[in-house]
């Protein structure tokens, strides 16, 4: 650690040189700058550098290296583990870098490192173009894509990393590097699921797909009908086209206009059938779900960017999530999944989610470090609540969901869906052979493990 006088002089120089704002403890605005999505995370960085361009990112990284500070990177700030923050280190905050440039003729888009899904989707929608995004609009694009990237469109156009064309990166030495299939191809491979281990992504270029129409069937059912509902959803996905996706889930019925008042605040079963196509085609697929007795519905064509906002998980709540990827969805597990809903914390923002894979995910490139690609289903216990007194019961419920699924688990996992669950789970999220290859790559680009606030890969 640098001496106080050296640190003070370096901080003064950073404040003068950075185009964006710099915050240190005691500064007005410091507490706002260190607040992240998950209210369980309360960390106090030594310095927060709010960068406005790539030059700022280079300056911030070199400042951090000069003072031997560990560096966390904040894009959307949506990590359940709070990896956008650290204690006593430097945070490189990209939230002012949110530009999105659409190239319709090339069917590609360049997205700055601090952009959210809403920034991306609102920019591409006027062109009738999309790419796989997260399931909520507030997710940061950078962390989402580099972690693999699963969303409503992945069965139709692949995981987000399957659509990655290039990355502009600032390394641990403050150098600028471009990675693509033709330039630094090994680094490009590692960025397909290796997360933020190799540097700070200041921009990403993604492939776009034509999507003139998008439609959904969001249906609410009484929980006692849950097993029949989930079984119906499972079967129609198995028989349906790759355009069909979504999830079966249990939630607390929200106070929305379309929800009957007597159900608000109570446990409800739901299906979210998404469809990359017109309403008429979606209704044919959804017919078995529509035929079941349900309490409320939103059915029809809807802009994809609007669907992305439908189940946004707002900041300020306490969050604890996990996931298991499954070998299948046999009736014994399906019944167990539905039974576990009875112990779900209600009323809270918690969601008990089953979502399908398959389609373009399974058919996608085999070489990338995304070992969950062959799983047909995933279960995602997503606990979200307000009262710290509920911490133990909410976290235990998530662990119980995982334990229920373990006999059917492939062992692989999508790391963006989990917090800090130990080194073995990081390996499960990348695969043992891939992890060894990624460790060698880490040694090349970040031998000192400066970027360790992530699902961390230790330099080999």
């Amino acid at each position: 650690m640098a001496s106080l006088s050296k640190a003070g002089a370096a901080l003064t120089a950073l404040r003068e040189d950075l185009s964006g704002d710099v915050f240190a403890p005691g500064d007005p605005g410091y507490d706002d700058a260190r607040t992240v999505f998950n209210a369980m995370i309360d960390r106090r960085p030594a310095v927060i550098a709010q960068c406005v361009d790539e030059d700022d990112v280079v300056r911030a990284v070199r400042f951090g290296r000069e003072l031997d500070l560990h560096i966390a990177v904040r894009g959307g700030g949506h990590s359940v583990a709070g990896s956008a923050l650290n204690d006593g280190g430097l945070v490189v905050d990209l939230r002012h870098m949110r530009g999105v440039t659409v190239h319709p003729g090339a069917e590609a888009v360049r997205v700055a490192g601090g952009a959210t899904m809403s920034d991306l989707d609102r920019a591409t929608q006027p062109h009738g173009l999309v790419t796989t995004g997260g399931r909520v609009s507030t997710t940061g694009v950078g962390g989402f894509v580099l972690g693999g990237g699963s969303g409503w469109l992945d069965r139709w156009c692949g995981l987000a990393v399957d659509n990655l064309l290039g990355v502009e990166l600032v390394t641990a030495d403050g150098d600028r590097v471009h990675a693509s299939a033709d330039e630094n191809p090994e680094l490009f491979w590692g960025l397909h699921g290796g997360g933020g281990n190799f540097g700070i992504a200041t921009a990403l270029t993604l492939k776009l797909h034509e999507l003139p129409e998008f439609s959904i069937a969001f249906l609410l059912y009484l929980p006692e009908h849950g097993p029949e509902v989930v079984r119906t959803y499972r079967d129609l996905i198995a028989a349906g086209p790759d355009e069909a996706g979504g999830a079966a889930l249990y939630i607390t019925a929200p106070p929305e206009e379309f929800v009957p008042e007597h159900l608000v605040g109570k446990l409800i079963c739901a299906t979210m059938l998404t469809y990359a196509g017109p309403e008429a085609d979606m209704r044919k697929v959804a017919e078995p779900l529509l035929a079941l007795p349900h309490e409320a519905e939103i059915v029809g064509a809807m802009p994809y960017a609007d669907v992305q906002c439908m189940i946004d998980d707002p900041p300020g709540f306490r969050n604890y999530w996990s996931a298991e990827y499954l070998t299948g969805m046999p009736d014994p597990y399906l019944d167990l999944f539905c039974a576990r809903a009875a112990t779900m914390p209600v009323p809270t923002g918690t969601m008990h989610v089953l979502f399908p894979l398959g389609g373009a995910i399974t058919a996608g490139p085999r070489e990338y470090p995304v070992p969950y690609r062959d799983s047909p289903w995933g279960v995602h216990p997503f606990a979200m609540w307000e009262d710290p007194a509920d911490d133990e019961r909410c976290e235990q419920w998530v662990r119980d969901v995982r334990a229920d699924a373990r006999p059917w688990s492939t062992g692989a996992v999508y790391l963006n869906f989990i917090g800090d669950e130990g080194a073995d789970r990081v390996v499960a999220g990348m695969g043992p052979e891939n992890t060894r290859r990624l460790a060698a790559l880490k040694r090349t680009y970040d031998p000192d493990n400066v970027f360790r606030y992530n699902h961390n890969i230790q330099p080999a």
Side-chain angles (χ1 to χ4, degrees), residues 229-250:
V229 170
V230 177
R231 195 168 284 111
T232 300
Y233 178 77
R234 175 198 64 186
D235 294 346
L236 73 80
I237 286 291
D242 294 350
E243 286 84 355
L249 63 163
Y250 287 85

Side-chain angles (χ1 to χ4, degrees), residues 98-102 108-112 115-127 129-134 137 139-142 144-145 160 204 206-208 304-305 308:
R98 297 177 68 159
V100 179
T101 304
V102 182
V109 60
R110 182 185 183 274
V111 188
T116 65
M117 287 302 154
S118 182
D119 298 320
L120 171 59
D121 297 332
R122 296 298 178 190
T124 62
Q125 183 169 286
H127 303 280
L129 297 168
V130 295
T131 194
T132 297
S137 69
T139 301
V141 175
F144 167 78
V145 173
L204 304 93
L206 301 166
K207 178 178 172 56
L208 296 175
Y304 169 70
Q308 286 284 69

Side-chain angles (χ1 to χ4, degrees), residues 68-91:
D68 195 26
L69 296 174
H70 295 145
I71 300 175
V73 183
R74 178 169 186 161
H78 213 268
S79 159
V80 67
S83 58
L85 295 180
N86 57 31
D87 282 313
L90 168 67
V91 171

Side-chain angles (χ1 to χ4, degrees), residues 306-365:
D306 292 352
V307 174
Q308 286 284 69
C309 304
M310 279 187 63
I311 57 170
D312 274 358
D313 35 2
F317 287 85
R318 304 173 77 77
N319 282 256
Y320 185 77
W321 323 333
S322 194
E324 292 289 340
Y325 280 70
L326 310 173
T327 57
M329 185 58 57
D331 285 346
Y333 176 67
L334 188 152
D335 292 339
L336 200 58
F337 170 84
C338 294
R340 181 56 65 188
T343 66
M344 193 178 98
V346 173
T348 66
T350 296
M351 293 183 280
H352 187 31
V353 187
L354 275 175
F355 55 91
L357 286 80
I361 305 170
T362 302

